[in-house]
Amino acid sequence: MNQRRTLLIAGLASVATLAGCAGPQVSDYVQQKPLLELDRYFNGRVLAHGIFQKRDGAVARRFTVVMDCHWEGNQGVLDEHFSYADGSTERRVWRLTKHADGRYTGRADDVVGEAQGQTSGNAFRWNYTLRLPVDGSVYEVQFDDWMFLMDDHVMLNRATMSKFGIRLGEVLLSFTKV
């Protein structure tokens, strides 16, 4: 019985590993235009409108974000002010570092460790773990964040939120550079 269970677990782990490799890679967008340069786009004021959809597709939260962004050399600060439809507010300050080959790292007070990202063509993929407060508890959830520059002013963002590899929902955002 234990050998059968071990084989089943090994088989499921293999399928999960292969499924993780099957998705798009940021390098798939290398030829796409316009070219996304985060330090150029996120410089000055940026407005965003977004929703959080639960796993079943129901919209659970609507929000707007006002971002004040600036860069000095390869160091950037994205100061985000969230306003939710229920009247609540939140603030997150990202401190980003631009590295060679379109790589970025970032930190924020509610992010566990360091976020890792990569640009290619018009796309940016960003992965991080966020401490998310829900009903008096704090959960650590993973974000797989994709951004696509549409033109000099508009960028679209879709982030999948998961815990223990289980998809919890998605955040959809439209950024507009002021």
Side-chain angles (χ1 to χ4, degrees):
M1 186 71 148
N2 280 343
Q3 183 179 16
R4 190 169 154 190
R5 184 179 303 177
T6 301
L7 287 173
L8 177 63
I9 291 170
L12 290 173
S14 296
V15 168
T17 300
L18 289 174
C21 297
Q25 302 299 311
V26 73
S27 59
D28 295 344
Y29 302 96
V30 68
Q31 298 298 322
Q32 298 297 312
K33 304 286 185 226
L35 184 65
L36 174 56
E37 297 175 71
L38 283 188
D39 54 334
R40 217 171 125 210
Y41 186 84
F42 287 116
N43 199 14
R45 181 156 280 189
V46 177
L47 303 177
H49 295 85
I51 58 173
F52 169 70
Q53 290 179 281
K54 295 190 271 183
R55 160 175 45 206
D56 66 1
V59 174
R61 293 194 92 179
R62 294 179 297 121
F63 57 94
T64 59
V65 188
V66 176
M67 300 172 65
D68 291 307
C69 315
H70 66 275
W71 287 81
E72 291 183 27
N74 70 336
Q75 301 295 308
V77 175
L78 282 58
D79 189 353
E80 303 176 324
H81 295 266
F82 294 80
S83 298
Y84 293 91
D86 66 6
S88 63
T89 61
E90 184 179 338
R91 182 176 181 212
R92 178 174 301 114
V93 178
W94 281 100
R95 287 170 175 53
L96 304 182
T97 301
K98 181 179 180 178
H99 302 275
D101 303 324
R103 289 182 309 106
Y104 290 82
T105 54
R107 293 188 178 275
D109 289 343
D110 55 353
V111 171
V112 177
E114 189 173 65
Q116 302 285 326
Q118 176 77 44
T119 58
S120 184
N122 74 330
F124 177 58
R125 188 174 192 184
W126 189 235
N127 292 285
Y128 54 94
T129 299
L130 184 70
R131 288 184 200 95
L132 186 66
V134 178
D135 298 329
S137 297
V138 176
Y139 299 94
E140 291 185 2
V141 295
Q142 289 70 50
F143 276 80
D144 183 13
D145 213 333
W146 283 87
M147 299 180 192
F148 295 93
L149 185 63
M150 306 306 289
D151 60 33
D152 288 342
H153 299 284
V154 176
M155 184 158 42
L156 301 179
N157 179 204
R158 185 186 80 195
T160 303
M161 187 173 70
S162 62
K163 183 152 181 74
F164 303 122
I166 298 169
R167 187 177 155 280
L168 302 174
E170 288 188 356
V171 177
L172 301 173
L173 282 159
S174 175
F175 293 103
T176 304
K177 188 166 175 56
V178 178

